[in-house]
Amino acid sequence: MHPAYSVIFFTTATGAGYGLIALLGLLAAFGLVQPDLWFGFTSFGLASCLIAAGLLSSTGHLGHPERAWRAFSQWRSSWLSREGVAAVLTFVPIGLLVLGWVVLGRSGGWVAAVGILTALCAAITVSSTAMIYASLKPIAQWHSRFTLPGYLLYSATSGLVLLSAIMQAFGRPSAAWMIAAILFTLASWGWKLATWRHNDGAGMAADLNSATGLAGGTVRSVEWPHTEQNYLMKEMGFRVARKHQQKLRTIVQLAAFALPAGLLLIDLLFGGGISTLLASLAVVSQLSGLLVERWLFFAEAKHTITLYYGLA
Amino acid sequence: MTCVPATTEKSLGLVIDLDSCVGCQACVTSCKEWNTGGHMAPLTDLKPYDGGVDGVWFNRVHTYEQTTDAGSRTVHFPRSCLHCAEPACVTVCPTGASYKRESDGIVLVNEDKCIGCKLCSWACPYGAREFDTDVGVMKKCTLCVDRIYNENLPEADRVPACVAACPTSARHFGDLADPLSPVSQLVEARGGVPLMPELGYRPTNRYLPPRAKKSNAVTSGAPPLSDASPAGGFLGWVDRLLSA
């Protein structure tokens, strides 16, 4: 599948933003961090910026962005529409949480309730994003049991790493959150490796025999209907060279998982004066790595239309 | 609404005979000609007289070689929208631009509601939908909805343009929900198949597989050609004389 840059940025940025905001909701709900105006302002500000930038970017690949409001209407059948509705609804508990926890400095009671609601809404929004891809039967690499948990895991992981960096910056280092960030990063690494192994063996959702109705024997494409690349080949037939694929997979493992986990571990053990720097580097490295991961998510996906062109 | 109707009054669709199709592309050009002025007009062409020519077509004819124990054969394969009973292209649409008609089962796009997100083209395993980069909306086969009910046309012409154009009668149009319709009976008689049934889209269109090759094919009975450079006899003497 052709990787649209706006969609790659959108899923990565909102993933990290919703991950962070869900964690802030849980922190507020269970009183794990005392309310603080500047900590709250910075962390909610950062998460909201990631979400808003991602959502705006998602309209970048549309043919008619001015009609994007229509996408809220078909939530009964469409995961894309559900995602839009969930994304907008999530801003309600976020707003209430900012009012109660950040501005009024309260915790417990209704603030705890909207904290849990924020986390729940964020999880629903990320799940809807994942289901857009997981529900597409023509693409075996997406229509798998790995897609939904993957999106939730990478969202929680990047949220945790962001949270660790913000806590360091505000002089509230917490070993528990850093250990959680490291463990989630390692779990994400494992999940990505398992996903790649599954995808490499998944092949295509159908074969050319059933695609053409020609039962038995082998079917081989000998002539395309056209001499130049058309929309279908550009959009669905996007192929990344094998050698690049392996290099990119190495980059993902280093930047998104190995380096952040290592930086956070060094930070945890010997942090001291440069702990904020180390945690910030972990954030930058992981988000860059996840952008490459998302690029591969699209580039490695094989659509059944490529069967018809003999490109599968 | 992008929820798919549970049942449709009719299931209009095409039956394509892979035994008769000769890959002449008449259906392709006829489709383009009608539809570039029809319901989904225009069928944009980009750089038509230049390198990197591109454009929107609703019907494309591939050519395949099928090799079995009985030998190899060339099969021309027209590919267009199958007007599925479970069209995921409709259910994934976030705006309601894509819909399936309850009256005849035709899958259409309302161009005024389409935001051009392309998700429907990802959801179609058959590559039936093509994005018009010029207009910014998705386009697809309408089953010539503006021909088949068109009372300004003579009754015989109220069929999709591709069906009207086919010189070998490889394309047939009708109601596949009615078991007594000519198309349903043709599917029954020839063992017509749906494409990629394992994906569960329940396509309406059917493809008739090529007939089995005849083992008792007619032989021409012509005698073998005589040797061009005979060794003996009169012709041999002439050959030697002229070769000297």
Side-chain angles (χ1 to χ4, degrees), chain A residues 6 23-24 67 71 82 117 211 233 249 256-257 269-270 288 299:
Chain A
S6 61
L23 286 165
L24 291 169
R67 298 177 185 165
R82 284 170 199 163
L117 199 61
M233 298 177 78
R249 283 186 175 186
F257 308 123
L269 299 176
F270 322 102
S288 317

Side-chain angles (χ1 to χ4, degrees), chain A residues 9-262:
Chain A
F9 177 76
F10 158 67
T11 57
T12 311
T14 55
Y18 283 120
L20 177 57
I21 224 145
L23 286 165
L24 291 169
L26 294 177
L27 287 182
F30 295 103
L32 298 171
V33 171
Q34 286 307 304
D36 176 88
L37 185 65
W38 287 108
F39 172 76
F41 186 74
T42 310
S43 51
F44 275 97
L46 187 63
S48 303
C49 280
L50 282 168
I51 293 169
L55 290 174
L56 282 177
S57 139
S58 74
T59 61
H61 75 291
L62 298 181
H64 280 279
E66 79 283 3
R67 298 177 185 165
W69 60 272
R70 288 187 182 276
F72 298 115
S73 65
Q74 304 302 312
W75 48 271
R76 285 188 194 83
S77 74
S78 164
W79 281 108
L80 178 52
S81 187
R82 284 170 199 163
E83 179 202 45
V85 173
V88 170
L89 285 182
T90 306
F91 281 114
V92 176
I94 291 175
L96 290 173
L97 189 61
V98 169
L99 181 71
W101 196 68
V102 181
V103 179
L104 301 177
R106 289 198 199 170
S107 54
W110 66 271
V111 177
V114 292
I116 290 172
L117 199 61
T118 299
L120 200 65
C121 285
I124 290 172
T125 309
V126 174
S127 300
S128 301
T129 305
M131 285 309 294
I132 293 172
Y133 306 105
S135 67
L136 296 175
K137 289 184 196 168
I139 303 156
Q141 286 75 20
W142 292 356
H143 187 64
S144 91
R145 62 186 184 279
F146 287 91
T147 303
L148 175 60
Y151 267 81
L152 286 170
L153 195 54
Y154 309 142
S155 171
T157 301
S158 48
L160 269 169
V161 173
L162 267 172
L163 183 69
S164 296
I166 296 169
M167 283 191 163
Q168 297 285 4
F170 278 83
R172 301 175 167 198
S174 156
W177 290 107
M178 288 186 64
I179 291 169
I182 294 168
L183 290 178
F184 267 75
T185 300
L186 295 177
S188 295
W189 192 354
W191 192 259
K192 194 73 242 182
L193 287 174
T195 309
W196 281 335
R197 177 176 296 185
H198 170 266
N199 286 357
D200 290 342
M204 303 295 297
D207 59 29
L208 190 47
N209 288 94
S210 89
T212 56
L214 297 169
T218 55
V219 179
R220 181 174 74 90
S221 168
V222 290
E223 197 172 43
W224 291 347
H226 39 90
T227 52
E228 304 273 349
Q229 299 257 316
N230 69 342
Y231 165 73
L232 298 170
M233 298 177 78
K234 290 171 189 166
E235 184 78 4
M236 260 71 80
F238 185 90
R239 290 187 301 166
V240 59
R242 268 270 171 217
K243 57 177 182 178
H244 289 147
Q245 185 183 28
Q246 288 309 324
K247 276 181 193 160
L248 288 167
R249 283 186 175 186
T250 308
I251 290 171
V252 169
Q253 294 187 62
L254 287 175
F257 308 123
L259 202 57

Side-chain angles (χ1 to χ4, degrees), chain B residues 149-204:
Chain B
Y149 299 113
N150 192 337
E151 292 180 1
N152 295 315
L153 295 176
E155 204 163 337
D157 288 343
R158 292 179 205 163
V159 293
C162 58
V163 173
C166 184
T168 62
S169 293
R171 305 180 71 100
H172 307 267
F173 164 72
D175 181 9
L176 284 138
D178 174 9
L180 299 176
S181 69
V183 280
S184 295
Q185 291 182 336
L186 188 59
V187 169
E188 181 73 27
R190 293 277 309 280
V193 293
L195 303 182
M196 290 192 249
E198 66 271 36
L199 293 187
Y201 284 62
R202 298 203 290 132
T204 300

